[in-house]
Amino acid sequence: MLVDSLWKIAGILLCVILLFIVPIKMNFARQDRILDQVVRNQVTVFSEQARELGYISDEMLKGFRSTLSATGLEYDISIEHLSKRFASDSAGNIKAYYDGTYEEDITDYIEGGNDYPLRVGDFIFVEVRSRSETKTQSMNHLFGLPGGPGIYYKSGGIVRYGNG
């Protein structure tokens, strides 16, 4: 009789898992894939725009951040601009190196009322990493499972058009 009761309890638990928890988890996973695709598209569009136009404007940056914040998650956004420079060493040889400008300096320049200029041949990289947990990660933590990867994407490359 006790064995029958245990089987009934196990059956009820299995039904609850299969009828409620699994579909919710699948729905959360689908939402995470959609969020990942939105972030991937926005990072690609923003970096391509900067590479094609040769500058980063205030409207571009605000639109980018606005679209990312509309996903409901918090993100760490990193923008890196590498500009090629030349210098001679003590032997008189000319060496090429890349001088980096990063997120804080770029946004300070843009907030000063100017478009941030990029030159032909420079490199620009945009990296976005989710700071908050997705719904799937939260649900996994609830059941003691590993959280899984967050949303991360990096895009960029060489500036094709610019002011130099």
Side-chain angles (χ1 to χ4, degrees):
M1 188 129 183
L2 180 64
V3 174
D4 290 338
S5 298
L6 290 176
W7 278 110
K8 287 180 183 178
I9 292 172
I12 291 171
L13 286 175
L14 185 62
C15 285
V16 167
I17 289 172
L18 291 176
L19 289 175
F20 297 107
I21 296 174
V22 171
I24 290 171
K25 186 165 170 62
M26 298 299 273
N27 189 28
F28 285 170
R30 189 171 140 255
Q31 288 177 2
D32 287 356
R33 285 192 302 272
I34 291 169
L35 285 176
D36 187 65
Q37 191 63 40
V38 167
V39 170
R40 182 181 311 262
N41 288 341
Q42 287 304 309
V43 171
T44 302
V45 165
F46 180 76
S47 68
E48 288 293 320
Q49 235 180 354
R51 291 171 56 207
E52 292 295 322
L53 295 174
Y55 62 88
I56 300 173
S57 69
D58 189 39
E59 295 91 31
M60 288 169 55
L61 194 57
K62 282 182 181 174
F64 177 61
R65 288 183 175 158
S66 170
T67 305
L68 289 180
S69 68
T71 63
L73 296 177
E74 296 177 9
Y75 298 94
D76 288 325
I77 301 171
S78 170
I79 302 173
E80 179 181 21
H81 171 220
L82 300 175
S83 185
K84 195 171 201 176
R85 305 277 190 232
F86 297 96
S88 59
D89 61 7
S90 59
N93 299 324
I94 296 187
K95 302 274 183 177
Y97 67 96
Y98 285 94
D99 189 22
T101 308
Y102 300 94
E103 169 79 20
E104 187 176 315
D105 295 331
I106 293 171
T107 50
D108 287 347
Y109 190 88
I110 290 172
E111 288 172 358
N114 303 314
D115 292 344
Y116 184 79
L118 303 168
R119 295 182 310 165
V120 174
D122 288 356
F123 287 92
I124 181 112
F125 297 101
V126 181
E127 181 180 300
V128 173
R129 181 182 311 269
S130 62
R131 201 175 335 141
S132 54
E133 286 188 338
T134 63
K135 291 181 180 182
T136 302
Q137 288 175 319
S138 298
M139 189 168 196
N140 285 346
H141 283 128
L142 181 69
F143 292 110
L145 299 171
I151 295 175
Y152 172 79
Y153 193 66
K154 184 173 185 174
S155 181
I158 194 164
V159 177
R160 292 185 281 268
Y161 302 102
N163 62 356

